Amino acid sequence: MIGDVRAVTARDGWAGVGAALARAEESIAALPPPDARTAAQRTRAAGVQDEARALRTAFLDTHVDAVYDRLTEGRTTPLRLADLVSAAAVAYPGLVPTAGQLAAERKRLQAGKEGHEIDQGIFLRAVLASPVAGAHLLDAMLRPTPRALELLPRFTETGLVDTRSVRLERRDGAAHLTMHRDDCLNAEDEQQVDDMETAVDLALLDPGVRVAVLRGGEMTHPRYRGKRVFSSGINLKSLHAGDISLVGFLLRRELGYIHKIVRGVRGVGGASWHSRTVEKPWIAAVDTFAIGGGMQLLLVCDHVLAASDAYVSLPAAREGIVPGAGNLRLGRHTGPRISRQVILQDRRLPATDPDARLVLDEVVEPAAMDDAIAAAVDRLGGPAVVPNRHMLNVAEEPAAEFRRYMAEFALQQALRIHGADVVGKVGRFTQRSA
């Protein structure tokens, strides 16, 4: 099969590949919707999809840089993830799903989807794996969002911006990003990812900010009413409902605001010939727990403090998905054995556990959190902090290493969110939470 695929790619180029993908799409379209297919029809669909995906992979293995150059006009136009896949759908029909296909998928529960995002994962793996195209895409993702640029004058003047998910407030040179999705224990969905990237951009672009602080707000959940919670990770109800997308959430989160926390924001403000990005130190303050994506955030912050009654965990294997770049970063903090216990076996680390101190810099009594945050802000406010944290990040996580990891993540996570085990787990979670 692979030999035939490569022969089609080499002999006919995109014309032959596009025609073959169109025939595959027609074959799939002739079947009932995914959740209405018989076992034989599911087997047939899987076979057609496998052949089509092998063809896409073979074509991109050879032509990804040429495809990317066409989409970005010779790398003169920086396109963010969503714009890039949209442009590819128009320029190369069948290579990635169309806007119409994605819109139809969005109306379905996760269990009823065709899995078109896997084809986006194939495309983005190839782009990110390329030292040329991938580096250009990562650079494009460091640029501030239009929403942040629109809000910047207001935040610079007032020091306050409220979004649905995040409250951003500047106090005495520190930007305090408070996650306040009290309805879901700060579980992240696409709205929160957008709000977080906006807030991160604003904190980095405002010249009045020296240090940024991430913390969770007070909850209204009956079990945690009146208590602060850092984050409960991905919103599994949104995943079950089909509202967690590969591009808009899973990849944008990693390549957007978390990437900017590590490497800064690109292209405006204080960037200059000697500093391509504006960087600032980040403090994370953990109340109650940091689960999943919440714990992932701790791994990119410069100082992490936690209340003594808090805990951290990365329940990736239990949820069935890959915990973002946690697999890349956790072992640097804990060593390989503990990272495998946390990621593969769902080991929870209470803040008072000695092993937790490999992730946490400081553990204090809950009543002392505010004072500890203020002291950390003072320590990280010096002029030499930014260049030193920049060099630490260069040494610990070279951009090329991050790019290669994210290339494989793009496909593996796309496969995982459509895995039968994941669909079953999030469905059971939603039933228990109803």
Side-chain angles (χ1 to χ4, degrees):
M1 172 59 202
I2 294 299
D4 294 339
V5 163
R6 297 194 181 280
V8 169
T9 302
R11 182 181 66 247
D12 300 324
W14 175 248
V17 170
L21 292 175
R23 291 193 295 271
E25 184 58 39
E26 290 172 1
S27 178
I28 296 292
L31 297 173
D35 51 0
R37 290 171 188 164
T38 64
Q41 289 170 334
R42 288 196 296 271
T43 299
R44 178 184 170 190
V48 173
Q49 289 168 339
D50 279 347
E51 291 184 5
R53 286 165 181 162
L55 189 54
R56 292 183 181 98
T57 300
F59 173 75
L60 289 165
D61 282 347
T62 302
H63 301 289
V64 66
D65 283 337
V67 169
Y68 188 83
D69 277 359
R70 178 181 172 188
L71 299 178
T72 60
E73 300 178 283
R75 284 172 281 128
T76 62
T77 302
L79 296 179
R80 287 174 60 86
L81 286 166
D83 296 328
L84 182 67
V85 294
S86 294
V90 174
Y92 296 91
L95 186 61
V96 295
T98 65
Q101 288 174 318
L102 292 173
E105 286 273 85
R106 199 64 185 252
K107 297 176 182 177
R108 299 170 178 163
L109 297 178
Q110 195 68 16
K113 294 191 176 186
E114 194 72 71
H116 289 303
E117 288 175 308
I118 295 171
D119 303 321
Q120 291 181 323
I122 292 170
F123 172 67
L124 291 169
R125 178 180 66 170
V127 169
L128 288 164
S130 163
V132 175
H136 189 267
L137 175 58
L138 289 185
D139 188 75
M141 291 301 293
L142 289 179
R143 295 174 183 270
T145 65
R147 184 186 181 199
L149 292 176
E150 181 181 348
L151 291 172
L152 182 59
R154 186 208 309 176
F155 181 67
T156 302
E157 179 182 355
T158 67
L160 180 64
V161 166
D162 260 316
T163 67
R164 181 186 174 196
S165 308
V166 179
R167 178 182 176 87
L168 179 66
E169 185 177 8
R170 185 184 62 242
R171 301 196 301 269
D172 299 324
H176 293 262
L177 281 70
T178 303
M179 299 172 280
H180 59 67
R181 285 295 300 275
D182 59 315
D183 59 322
C184 58
L185 302 178
N186 285 330
E188 281 193 288
D189 55 18
E190 296 199 9
Q191 177 67 57
Q192 184 156 339
V193 166
D194 186 57
D195 290 346
M196 285 293 288
E197 185 165 10
T198 299
V200 167
D201 282 348
L202 292 173
L204 290 169
L205 292 172
D206 181 6
V209 170
R210 298 189 312 275
V211 181
V213 179
L214 287 172
R215 195 178 186 185
E218 292 185 2
M219 300 290 107
T220 58
H221 187 285
R223 186 174 175 184
Y224 299 97
R225 189 179 304 278
K227 293 188 64 175
R228 286 182 179 266
V229 166
F230 189 76
S231 173
S232 58
I234 189 172
N235 191 314
L236 295 177
K237 287 186 178 181
S238 293
L239 179 58
H240 170 71
D243 291 331
I244 296 292
S245 69
L246 178 69
V247 169
F249 180 93
L250 295 163
L251 286 174
R252 179 182 175 181
R253 182 177 186 272
E254 300 298 328
L255 300 183
Y257 83 84
I258 298 180
H259 188 205
K260 289 172 175 175
I261 288 174
V262 177
R263 291 182 172 83
V265 69
R266 176 88 162 92
V268 299
S272 67
W273 61 267
H274 57 78
S275 300
R276 295 172 63 248
T277 60
V278 180
E279 299 182 42
K280 290 171 186 176
W282 291 81
I283 297 166
V286 180
D287 300 278
T288 310
F289 52 69
I291 299 173
M295 185 176 179
Q296 293 167 36
L297 286 176
L298 310 185
L299 305 179
V300 298
C301 288
D302 302 291
H303 187 79
V304 180
L305 58 95
S308 57
D309 59 353
Y311 69 88
V312 299
S313 69
L314 269 180
R318 176 163 56 83
E319 293 172 349
I321 58 177
V322 180
N327 306 61
L328 174 67
R329 295 170 175 143
L330 182 60
R332 289 204 303 264
H333 294 262
T334 65
R337 300 282 20 117
I338 293 175
S339 68
R340 279 169 168 75
Q341 293 166 17
V342 171
I343 293 173
L344 302 182
Q345 301 179 54
D346 194 16
R347 179 184 173 188
R348 177 186 294 188
L349 297 176
T352 53
D353 187 322
D355 287 341
R357 294 306 298 269
L358 299 170
V359 177
L360 309 174
D361 297 292
E362 191 176 355
V363 178
V364 301
E365 291 304 308
M369 285 286 281
D370 289 342
D371 289 341
I373 292 169
V377 167
D378 286 342
R379 290 196 302 272
L380 291 177
V385 170
V386 170
N388 277 287
R389 61 101 61 186
H390 172 79
M391 296 309 299
L392 285 167
N393 286 332
V394 167
E396 293 173 358
E397 188 177 293
E401 179 184 351
F402 174 68
R403 175 182 54 77
R404 288 191 294 268
Y405 176 91
M406 291 308 303
E408 193 61 23
F409 172 81
L411 180 56
Q412 294 304 321
Q413 192 74 307
L415 292 167
R416 282 284 73 221
I417 61 173
H418 293 286
D421 60 316
V422 173
V423 170
K425 286 173 182 176
V426 298
R428 290 193 295 274
F429 171 86
T430 301
Q431 290 169 3
R432 290 197 306 269
S433 304

